[in-house]
């Protein structure tokens, strides 16, 4: 059958049961990763000077996929984040800062563990792993082959996915992968964008320069507009699984803009 690539870290981090679980999730992730790494063409980018209200921004990133398809319900992470950071090297402080800041904005408790040789990794619900270009390319290539496509995964820089979230949100694990050979600014942009999108805000505002929710902007921090979107998405009046029509009505009443 199809041989799926697995990520091999340069130390004895995983216990046998952890390796089996991780490899199984990676097989699922390889298919899901296409939405971030090799997405089909979506709608025309939003013009960078087009005024957008807070509600419009929220709808574009919360109720759309990154390829422009509509999302039928709200997707929201509603558990404390227990993050494991793997192979981040000099970017460990940047990942920690991004996660702590997200937790503050979304009012989610955040616990962070830095993976070290021989440690018990516990049971994290978020894994942020820095991987080689070859590992990233091989994973995306496998996903493309599984879809019967001949395109290459060459050039993929980062992606994230949460396998099984729709069926069992209380058991799902967020996986974020970032290539370990990127320029510093691109790496920092990947960290901020992928961690923010992991909270359920996967749509794109491509063409804008005032947000991390846009490919290629190079934004390395959440902008005030991004923070407002995240706060709105994590308003107590919204909930994971709420139908989109109901959520739009709630948000319209919450936001003066």
């Amino acid at each position: 059958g199809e041989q799926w690539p697995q990520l091999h870290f340069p130390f004895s981090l995983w216990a046998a049961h952890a390796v089996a679980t991780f490899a199984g999730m990676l097989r699922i992730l390889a298919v899901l990763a296409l939405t971030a790494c090799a997405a089909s063409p979506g709608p025309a980018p939003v013009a960078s000077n087009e005024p957008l209200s807070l509600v419009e921004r929220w709808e574009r990133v919360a109720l759309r996929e990154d390829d422009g398809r509509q999302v039928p319900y709200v997707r929201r992470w509603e558990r404390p984040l227990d993050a494991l950071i793997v192979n981040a090297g000099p970017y460990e402080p940047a990942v920690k800062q991004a996660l702590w800041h997200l937790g503050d904005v979304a009012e989610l408790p955040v616990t962070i563990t830095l993976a070290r040789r021989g440690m018990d990794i516990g049971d994290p619900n978020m894994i942020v792993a820095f991987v080689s270009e070859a590992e990233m390319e091989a994973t995306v290539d496998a996903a493309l082959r599984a879809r019967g496509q001949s395109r290459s995964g060459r050039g993929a820089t980062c992606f994230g996915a949460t396998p099984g979230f729709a069926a069992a949100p209380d058991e799902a694990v967020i996986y974020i992968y970032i290539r370990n050979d990127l320029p510093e600014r691109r790496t920092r942009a990947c960290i901020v964008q992928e961690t923010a999108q992991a909270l359920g805000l996967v749509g794109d505002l491509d063409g804008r320069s005032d947000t991390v929710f846009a490919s290629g902007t190079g934004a390395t921090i959440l902008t005030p507009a991004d923070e407002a979107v995240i706060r709105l998405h994590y308003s107590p009046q919204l909930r994971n699984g709420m139908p989109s029509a109901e959520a739009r009505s709630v948000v319209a009443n919450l936001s003066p803009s």
Side-chain angles (χ1 to χ4, degrees):
E2 178 73 52
Q3 295 299 308
W4 294 83
Q6 298 180 22
L7 302 182
H8 298 283
F9 302 113
F11 47 76
S12 299
L13 174 63
W14 313 105
H17 74 280
V19 172
T21 301
F22 182 80
M25 296 303 284
L26 182 59
R27 294 187 183 95
I28 301 172
L29 177 61
V31 176
L32 296 181
L34 284 186
T35 58
C37 292
S40 57
V46 180
S48 59
N49 60 348
E50 177 188 342
L52 282 180
S53 70
L54 173 57
V55 172
E56 289 172 325
R57 284 176 180 268
W58 173 80
E59 286 190 355
R60 288 177 186 266
V61 297
L63 300 182
R64 292 186 186 181
E65 299 284 1
D66 60 356
D67 61 3
R69 289 176 295 135
Q70 296 291 316
V71 174
Y73 55 85
V74 170
R75 294 171 296 189
R76 204 171 83 158
W77 191 262
E78 296 190 339
R79 289 184 287 157
L81 280 171
D82 184 2
L84 178 72
I85 304 175
V86 182
N87 286 355
Y91 293 106
E92 283 182 350
V95 179
K96 290 193 292 184
Q97 181 60 37
L99 292 175
W100 283 329
H101 185 45
L102 272 177
D104 287 343
V105 174
E107 298 186 7
L108 286 173
V110 175
T111 301
I112 298 173
T113 300
L114 304 178
R116 294 293 185 262
R117 183 188 301 274
M119 69 178 293
D120 179 0
I121 65 170
D123 190 22
N125 57 29
M126 171 185 273
I127 297 174
V128 182
F130 285 69
V131 301
S132 71
E133 179 181 9
E135 288 167 331
M136 184 75 80
E137 182 179 335
T139 301
V140 178
D141 279 346
L144 291 166
R145 288 197 303 272
R147 285 192 167 187
Q149 300 178 20
S150 58
R151 289 177 294 155
S152 170
R154 186 175 294 111
T157 57
C158 52
F159 63 75
T162 309
F165 181 78
D170 292 337
E171 300 175 8
V173 177
I174 298 168
Y175 291 88
I176 294 172
Y177 294 89
I178 300 170
R179 229 172 66 189
N180 61 14
D181 62 344
L182 302 175
E184 180 179 353
R185 186 174 182 83
R186 179 57 183 148
T187 300
R188 293 182 181 276
C190 278
I191 290 169
V192 175
Q193 183 180 40
E194 295 297 341
T195 52
Q197 288 184 325
L199 296 187
L201 299 162
V202 301
D204 282 335
L205 291 171
D206 282 351
R208 302 194 70 91
S209 59
D210 59 350
T211 178
V212 301
F213 299 109
S215 302
T217 64
T220 59
I221 60 171
L222 294 174
T223 67
D226 294 331
E227 293 176 354
V229 167
I230 294 170
R231 290 192 181 98
L232 182 59
H233 194 60
Y234 278 83
S235 300
Q237 292 87 345
L238 295 176
R239 67 181 187 279
N240 183 56
M242 177 181 283
S244 295
E246 181 182 352
R248 285 189 175 95
S249 177
V250 169
V251 167
N253 290 326
L254 285 175
S255 174
S257 57

